[in-house]
């Protein structure tokens, strides 16, 4: 008995030499998922036995990749019997390079069942992709999802056809839809020194008024700056903006605090976050008419408290938290802000700049305001609605991010 015990302990104490550790995964592309309804939803009648092809542009490249699918807002399991990925020949078109067409597997199988409320990681896909590749990701739906999950503000075309055409070189006659569905992210093995930067915000981060298939959001311009300017510490650029998003209340998608864990903390390799949120909270307070000063003061205090929540939760995970000042929106015909709303914006921006609670600050208020009327966007950067920058404004935003701001991760 003693001999048997000694032999057992000896066996437990010895283990073979560890194999070389695989590189951890890091996000190369991501989008914020939300419930998709009404005119933004895929037509349920067309989805049984249908193929959807979606084109996304990654930031970091890698020798292989994995895809993250989402049924976060579904009410029943989502069943896909075929998922494939290939290099797209160009943005805005369904054509792929057939030589790169590769099956995406899940636990070694072509089909996947994604539980309601869940995301699902693919197996590693043996497809080498350079930085800034356009990837075509194709699904074959057996049936319509029970409540759809997606991202309406794709600013990129997707393509739907009847039948199983997931591996087809082109999809002639496809229905064109400018939304993404069931996609959450694309990851690659982290290069030495690599990490992900999460852009967390509203429609300005999502890219409202950018060019469809033009990849000219501020995050697109910044991604190129980060790759060219940080070869020793390459960054994946992850856009987690949602149009209409608010910090304190749900809007088109979940409020910022409610989605922070999924859209920030769960992103692979996230080491820094750039937060640009709050204009919809400020503008929405008096959208139907002026309210007492006490309501304005309470809103500013609650927004500062919410920022502190994000900072604390990010720091707990070792993430560097960067705050961005809220852009002027005095020319907005939607919010038509008065003097009290502008005073709220000024107070909030002063706290972002001067409190020292964020690890760094990007002063986009100073960079994009009209020097002749600081409550408004500079006409050179205004898309025309007084609220959102134009592509030139988005370029300006990327150019004014201080070099080295994300260092120290």
């Amino acid at each position: 008995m003693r001999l048997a015990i000694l032999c057992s302990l000896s066996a437990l104490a010895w283990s073979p030499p560890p194999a070389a550790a695989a590189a951890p995964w890091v996000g190369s592309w991501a989008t914020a998922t939300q419930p998709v309804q009404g005119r933004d939803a895929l037509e349920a009648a067309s989805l049984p036995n249908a193929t959807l092809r979606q084109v996304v542009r990654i930031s970091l490249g890698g020798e292989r990749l994995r895809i993250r699918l989402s049924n976060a807002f579904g009410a029943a399991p989502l069943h896909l019997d075929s998922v494939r990925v290939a290099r797209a020949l160009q943005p805005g078109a369904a054509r792929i390079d057939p030589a790169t067409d590769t099956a995406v597997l899940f636990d070694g199988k072509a089909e996947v069942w994604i539980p309601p409320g869940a995301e699902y990681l693919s197996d590693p896909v043996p497809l080498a992709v350079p930085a800034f590749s356009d990837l075509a990701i194709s699904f074959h739906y057996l049936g319509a999802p029970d409540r759809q999950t997606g991202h309406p503000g794709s600013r990129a075309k997707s393509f739907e056809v009847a039948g199983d055409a997931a591996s087809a070189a082109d999809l002639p006659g496809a229905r064109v839809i400018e939304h993404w569905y069931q996609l959450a992210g694309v990851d690659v093995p982290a290069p030495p020194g690599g990490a992900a930067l999460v852009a967390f915000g509203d429609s300005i981060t999502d890219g409202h008024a950018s060019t469809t298939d033009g990849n000219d959001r501020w995050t697109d311009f910044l991604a190129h700056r980060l790759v060219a300017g940080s070869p020793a510490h390459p960054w994946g650029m992850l856009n987690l903006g949602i149009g209409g998003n608010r910090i304190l209340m749900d809007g088109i998608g979940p409020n910022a605090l409610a989605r922070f864990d999924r859209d920030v903390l769960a992103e692979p390799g996230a080491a820094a976050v750039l937060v640009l949120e709050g204009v919809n909270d400020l503008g929405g307070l008096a959208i139907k008419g002026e309210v007492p000063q006490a309501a304005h003061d309470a809103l500013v205090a609650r927004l500062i408290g919410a920022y502190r929540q994000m900072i604390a939760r990010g720091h707990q995970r070792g993430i560097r938290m960067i705050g961005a000042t809220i852009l002027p929106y005095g020319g907005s015909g939607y919010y038509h802000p008065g003097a009290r709303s502008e005073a709220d914006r000024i107070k909030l921006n002063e706290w972002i700049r001067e409190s020292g609670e964020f690890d760094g600050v990007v002063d986009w208020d100073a960079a994009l305001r009209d020097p002749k009327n600081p409550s408004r966007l500079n006409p050179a950067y205004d898309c025309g609605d007084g609220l959102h920058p134009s592509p030139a404004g988005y370029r300006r935003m990327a150019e004014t991010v201080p070099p080295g701001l994300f260092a120290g991760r």
Side-chain angles (χ1 to χ4, degrees):
M1 178 66 74
R2 289 194 189 98
L3 181 59
I5 292 172
L6 287 171
C7 289
S8 297
L9 291 173
S10 178
L12 288 171
W14 180 88
S15 59
W25 294 96
V26 64
S28 181
W29 174 88
T31 193
T33 56
Q34 57 194 94
V36 182
Q37 305 172 53
R39 65 182 183 179
D40 293 332
L42 292 166
E43 294 179 7
S46 72
L47 281 184
N49 188 29
T51 295
L52 179 68
R53 178 167 292 171
Q54 306 176 84
V55 179
V56 304
R57 176 167 291 181
I58 62 172
S59 51
L60 292 176
E63 294 182 355
R64 61 189 186 280
L65 57 88
R66 72 178 182 184
I67 292 172
R68 289 182 282 133
L69 303 182
S70 178
N71 192 26
F73 299 94
L78 172 68
H79 185 197
L80 303 172
D81 72 340
S82 178
V83 180
R84 303 189 72 87
V85 62
R87 294 279 303 277
L89 292 182
Q90 66 183 74
R95 292 185 300 126
I96 64 170
D97 176 0
T100 65
D101 178 49
T102 308
V104 180
L105 303 180
F106 303 85
D107 301 315
K109 300 178 178 64
E111 69 174 352
V112 59
W113 290 86
I114 307 174
E119 290 189 359
Y120 216 91
L121 297 171
S122 78
D123 299 346
V125 180
L127 176 63
V129 286
F132 303 110
S133 295
D134 293 305
L135 299 183
I137 302 169
S138 303
F139 306 152
H140 180 237
Y141 288 93
L142 289 174
D146 190 346
R147 289 214 304 255
Q148 294 180 26
T149 296
H151 186 84
S154 64
R155 275 89 205 181
K157 297 186 187 77
S158 300
F159 307 90
E160 181 192 4
V161 295
D164 186 354
S167 61
D170 199 1
L171 302 177
R175 178 186 173 220
V176 177
I177 312 153
E178 292 187 16
H179 310 303
W180 287 315
Y181 303 90
Q182 268 73 67
L183 284 179
V186 177
D187 309 327
V188 297
L197 167 62
V198 177
F200 190 64
D202 48 41
S203 57
I204 295 174
T205 295
D206 202 18
H208 181 88
S210 63
T211 309
T212 299
D213 299 312
N215 294 296
D216 51 12
R217 313 164 189 84
W218 70 259
T219 53
D220 299 310
F221 292 122
L222 183 57
H224 284 273
R225 275 195 69 198
L226 292 174
V227 169
S230 305
H233 299 286
W235 288 91
M237 183 78 248
L238 308 181
N239 187 325
L240 278 301
I242 291 181
N245 202 226
R246 292 184 285 180
I247 293 177
L248 300 174
M249 296 287 289
D250 289 351
I252 298 173
N255 69 77
L257 286 185
R259 69 187 183 94
F260 191 83
D261 285 16
R262 179 177 62 247
D263 289 347
V264 174
L265 301 184
E267 290 298 329
V273 180
L274 206 170
V275 180
L276 177 61
E277 282 264 16
V279 69
N280 294 313
D281 298 81
L282 294 176
L285 179 65
I287 192 171
K288 295 181 179 179
E290 191 51 89
V291 297
Q293 182 62 46
H296 286 270
D297 295 340
L299 176 65
V300 172
R302 290 177 64 205
L303 287 171
I304 290 172
Y307 282 136
R308 286 176 169 147
Q309 289 287 311
M310 295 185 213
I311 292 167
R313 288 157 69 179
H315 283 172
Q316 187 172 334
R317 296 290 186 89
I319 295 174
R320 186 170 173 81
M321 300 296 298
I322 310 298
T325 53
I326 297 172
L327 279 65
Y329 66 107
S332 169
Y334 180 72
Y335 283 132
H336 48 81
R340 286 180 176 176
S341 293
E342 174 62 5
D344 294 344
R345 188 183 72 87
I346 291 171
K347 288 178 188 175
L348 202 57
N349 282 347
E350 286 176 350
W351 183 86
I352 292 169
R353 289 187 189 102
E354 300 170 10
S355 70
E357 297 196 34
F358 279 108
D359 299 310
V361 173
V362 178
D363 198 347
W364 279 329
D365 168 36
L368 274 78
R369 66 192 177 204
D370 185 347
K372 297 179 181 178
N373 189 347
S375 69
R376 294 175 176 249
L377 283 171
N378 188 321
Y381 304 131
D382 187 346
C383 80
D385 68 1
L387 178 62
H388 298 93
S390 62
Y394 289 136
R395 183 184 292 276
R396 173 66 173 164
M397 290 173 71
E399 290 172 346
T400 54
V401 174
L405 182 64
F406 313 114
R409 62 177 186 263

